[in-house]
Amino acid sequence: MKALVIVDLQNDFLPGGSLAVPEGDQIIESINETMVNYDLIIATKDWHPLDHISFASNHQNKKVGDKIRMNNIDQILWPNHCVQESFGSEFPKSLNFSKIKKVIYKGQNPNIDSYSGFYDNFKEASTGLTNFLKENKVEKVDFVGLATEFCVKFTALDSVREGFYTRVITKCTRGIDELECKKAFEEMRSEGIVLI
Ligand code: VGL
Ligand code: ZN
C-alpha cells in the first residue's frame, strides 16, 4: 500500500495566515492532482492550545523569532498559530480534503512542541501515525505540505527511521527560508529519503 501524507496544510501556514509560508498556496492544486496516485491519504494538523509553549505571546519579554531553551531543547517562538478549532487550523477550502481518510493531530500538549507528525520534539509521545500506517499495510509513504524545513523535514525523517520507504515530492512543499530549505533537503537525502 502506498500512502500520501499531507503535512500541516492549514490556513495559518498559507498567505494571509498568522505564520504564512511564502507561496504555500501554490502547492494545493498539485496536491489535489496527485491524490489519484495513492491507496490512502492522511493529513497531519498542527493543533495547539492557546497556552502553547511555542507561542511568543505566552512568554514575558520575548518576541516572535526569539529562541529559548526549555527542558534541554531549543524552542523557536512563533506567532499564535493553528489554535484548536480556529479558522487558522482548518484545511484551506481549495484542498480536496474529502479524500483524506485520517487526520493526525500534533502539538496539543501545551508544554512541548511537535514538528514531526510521528512524535513530539522529546520523541516521547506518539501520535499514532506509525500504527495507523502499519495497520493499513503501508510500506511506501510520500510527503507533501508545509513547512519544508520544519514539519515536512522532521516528519519525513521519522518516517524513514520507522522503516517506511519515504519520499518527499519537492514541488508540493514550500518552506519559510530558502537556505534552510536547501539544507533540509540535503539532510533528508543523506538520511535515505528520496526527493522527487
Ligand atoms: C510548523 C512552525 C511551528 C510547521 C508548525 O508546520 O512546519 N512550523 N509549527
Ligand atoms: Zn506549531
Side-chain angles (χ1 to χ4, degrees):
M1 289 278 273
K2 192 174 154 194
L4 178 70
V5 175
I6 304 168
V7 176
D8 296 10
L9 198 63
Q10 294 165 271
N11 289 323
D12 270 341
F13 293 125
L14 298 173
S18 67
L19 181 39
V21 177
E23 303 182 350
D25 53 336
Q26 292 183 18
I27 64 176
I28 299 172
E29 223 177 272
S30 334
I31 292 175
N32 285 337
E33 285 167 10
T34 200
M35 286 183 182
V36 296
N37 299 313
Y38 297 88
D39 308 309
L40 180 64
I41 300 170
I42 299 159
T44 64
K45 272 192 173 183
D46 214 24
W47 193 248
H48 297 311
L50 247 183
D51 60 349
H52 195 256
I53 193 176
S54 76
F55 296 173
S57 62
N58 291 322
H59 301 268
Q60 273 185 357
N61 306 316
K62 296 286 176 201
K63 57 183 191 315
V64 169
D66 284 353
K67 283 196 185 103
I68 58 167
R69 187 104 184 139
M70 292 290 280
N71 307 314
N72 277 325
I73 52 176
D74 288 323
Q75 174 68 56
I76 304 172
L77 297 180
W78 301 107
N80 290 16
H81 65 277
C82 299
V83 172
Q84 295 171 4
E85 313 290 352
S86 68
F87 172 78
S89 70
E90 289 173 14
F91 293 127
K93 288 251 169 333
S94 52
L95 178 69
N96 191 357
F97 50 80
S98 64
K99 292 250 164 63
I100 295 170
K101 284 277 145 56
K102 172 88 172 172
V103 179
I104 296 282
Y105 295 91
K106 64 186 182 64
Q108 301 101 314
N109 182 336
N111 302 313
I112 172 84
D113 211 356
S114 193
Y115 291 148
S116 161
F118 287 88
Y119 296 99
D120 66 32
N121 289 3
F122 286 150
K123 295 258 174 276
E124 277 173 5
S126 157
T127 59
L129 180 52
T130 300
N131 278 346
F132 185 77
L133 292 170
K134 289 189 173 161
E135 278 165 14
N136 285 279
K137 309 252 183 297
V138 172
E139 296 112 25
K140 297 181 179 178
V141 192
D142 287 354
F143 292 88
V144 297
L146 307 169
T148 307
E149 72 272 49
F150 289 99
C151 293
V152 174
K153 180 182 93 169
F154 286 104
T155 305
L157 285 174
D158 276 346
S159 171
V160 81
R161 284 180 199 130
E162 298 282 274
F164 300 106
Y165 176 72
T166 303
R167 306 194 302 182
V168 171
I169 306 175
T170 56
K171 74 162 197 224
C172 294
T173 68
R174 286 293 185 281
I176 297 167
D177 180 271
E178 211 174 316
L179 182 63
E180 291 301 320
C181 287
K182 211 172 153 259
K183 286 198 234 165
F185 284 133
E186 280 162 17
E187 186 181 346
M188 289 189 258
R189 190 183 282 121
S190 75
E191 295 291 323
I193 294 163
V194 177
L195 304 178
I196 56 172

